[in-house]
Amino acid sequence: MEKKDIFAQIHELETHMGDLHQELGVLKLVVKELLEENQRLWMENQQLRKVLHHEHHEHLEALPEAEGESVPAADDPDLFSEAKENVVGEGYDNLARLYHEGFHICNVYYGHLRTEGDCLFCLSFLNK
């Protein structure tokens, strides 16, 4: 073999390795996106299972009680004040739970998976 042939082969191998390196980088990004989506769907699935389980138990508990108890009057002021307090607290708790599960709750990245630790926007939103 001549020197030119060897250098041509080395250059060809080097070009091929560069192309493979770029393909590998693209594949790594696709795998990362798939893993993030898989994690998001898994957590969403777990939350839906919890909600379904919770609603199922509430429904089962409500059946025997509905037979013997009366329904509170709609003009009862305590009924609505308690409901408002529960809604506000429950919403905050849900946002805090979502944040601790790894999702953004701020208006900038809402619903995206947090991959780089704490988000100052989310934390300031929780502290309001």
Side-chain angles (χ1 to χ4, degrees), residues 2-14:
E2 291 187 29
K3 291 179 185 177
K4 289 183 180 179
D5 293 337
I6 293 173
F7 283 116
Q9 284 182 339
I10 289 175
H11 180 65
E12 186 179 318
L13 280 173
E14 189 176 40

Side-chain angles (χ1 to χ4, degrees), residues 40-89:
R40 182 184 58 79
L41 291 173
W42 182 83
M43 289 192 308
E44 183 179 345
N45 190 11
Q46 291 298 94
Q47 291 303 316
L48 289 173
R49 286 176 193 244
K50 286 180 186 176
V51 168
L52 182 63
H53 182 73
H54 181 70
E55 287 178 358
H56 179 69
H57 281 291
E58 283 182 352
H59 179 70
L60 290 178
E61 290 173 358
L63 286 178
E65 293 174 3
E67 293 173 2
E69 293 186 12
S70 63
V71 178
D75 58 348
D76 184 8
D78 293 333
L79 176 68
F80 293 113
S81 64
E82 289 176 12
K84 285 182 183 178
E85 290 174 8
N86 288 341
V87 170
V88 172

